[in-house]
Amino acid sequence: MSNSTVRAIVTDIEGTTTDINFVHKVLFPYAHAKLPDFLLANADTPAVAEQIDAVRSEMDAPNAPLEAVIDQLLHWIETDQKVTPLKALQGMVWADGYQRGDFKGHLYSDVAPALRQWKDSGKALYVYSSGSVQAQKLLFGYSDAGDLTPLFSGYFDTHIGHKREAAAYHRIVTELDLPPAAVLFLSDVVEELDAAKQAGMQTLQLVREGTQAGNTHACVTRFDEIAL
C-alpha cells in the first residue's frame, strides 16, 4: 500500500467496522419480529407502499395480498437475501428501533478513533455496504461511539453495483472523482477486495475474529494498525 497517495478511504461494515453478529443476531431478528406489524400499520404510507409494490414485482405477483408480501419478506430475512425492497423496509424498521433506544450500532473499539484521526488528517471517508444507505447512516448515527455521520462524505449500497464486481468500484471511483490508486478499500471479504483491486483501488483485508486471512491482499487486525 502506498500510504502517501491515499486521499479517500471506503470501508465495508460487516466484519470490518462492526461485528457480524450485531447484524445477524440483533438487526435481522429485530426486523423479523417487527416487520409484520410495521407493514400492517404503515402499508398505506407512500414510502412503504412503494416498497410493498417493489416486493410484489420481485415476486412477479402484482396482486399478491399483504400477507403474502410479509411471508416473502420474512423468507428473505431467514435466507439472508440481498433484495433491495427488503433492505429499504428493514431500514425503516431499524430506524424505529434506533430511535426508541432498543439497540445501538455496534462498532469495534478501534474504529471511531481511527475514523476521526483520518478525517482530521484530510482523508475523505465513505461507506460501501450491502445494507441500504439508510441502514448505514442509522448504524453510524446511533453507534455506541456516538453520532459519527459527520465524519463521512458519502455512502454506497448495492444500487451502485454488486460488491464482488469490479464495475461497482469503477463507478465509486468515478463518483469520488479521484484516481483509483488514491482510494483505499477496507473489507474482510477477499472477493470484494479482489474486485476493488481490479478497479485500481488500494486494498487492505480486516482479519477480525472469525475471518480467514487471504494471501492476495495486505492484512491488518485493527484500524489502528493502518498507517496513513
Side-chain angles (χ1 to χ4, degrees), residues 9 21 28 33 39 49 61 65 96 98 140 146-147 154 157 162 205 213-214 216 227:
I9 299 164
N21 285 330
F28 284 0
L39 288 180
D96 279 352
Y98 282 114
F140 286 104
D147 180 5
D157 60 17
H162 194 285
Q205 184 184 13
T216 51

Side-chain angles (χ1 to χ4, degrees), residues 26-185:
V26 177
L27 290 184
F28 284 0
Y30 188 89
H32 193 284
K34 302 289 187 181
L35 199 56
D37 286 345
F38 176 84
L39 288 180
L40 291 169
N42 297 284
D44 294 331
T45 305
V48 176
E50 179 184 352
Q51 299 305 327
I52 290 172
D53 285 342
V55 174
R56 290 180 173 128
S57 179
E58 292 277 351
M59 296 168 65
D60 198 22
N63 299 311
L66 186 57
E67 290 74 14
V69 170
I70 290 171
D71 287 345
Q72 181 66 70
L73 287 163
L74 296 180
H75 174 70
W76 283 339
I77 293 173
E78 290 158 7
T79 54
D80 192 17
Q81 299 297 306
K82 314 277 194 239
V83 185
T84 300
L86 167 64
K87 296 293 183 183
L89 290 167
Q90 281 178 322
M92 295 177 196
V93 172
W94 292 333
D96 279 352
Y98 282 114
Q99 289 157 11
R100 293 174 194 269
D102 290 347
F103 45 80
K104 289 183 180 293
H106 171 268
L107 296 177
Y108 290 111
S109 61
D110 53 281
V111 170
L115 292 174
R116 292 190 179 103
Q117 180 183 343
W118 296 339
K119 178 72 171 178
D120 288 345
S121 68
K123 311 297 185 189
L125 304 180
Y126 298 87
V127 179
Y128 180 29
S129 173
S130 58
S132 69
V133 165
Q134 181 195 18
Q136 297 171 28
K137 290 179 176 178
L138 287 167
L139 190 151
F140 286 104
Y142 292 89
S143 86
D144 46 21
D147 180 5
L148 301 186
T149 54
L151 300 178
F152 293 100
S153 298
Y155 305 83
F156 300 99
D157 60 17
T158 50
H159 283 96
I160 200 91
H162 194 285
K163 292 188 73 185
R164 300 188 182 198
E165 294 176 358
Y169 300 88
H170 283 295
R171 293 186 196 105
I172 288 173
V173 167
T174 300
E175 292 230 358
L176 301 191
D177 197 23
L178 287 171
V183 182
L184 170 63
F185 179 58

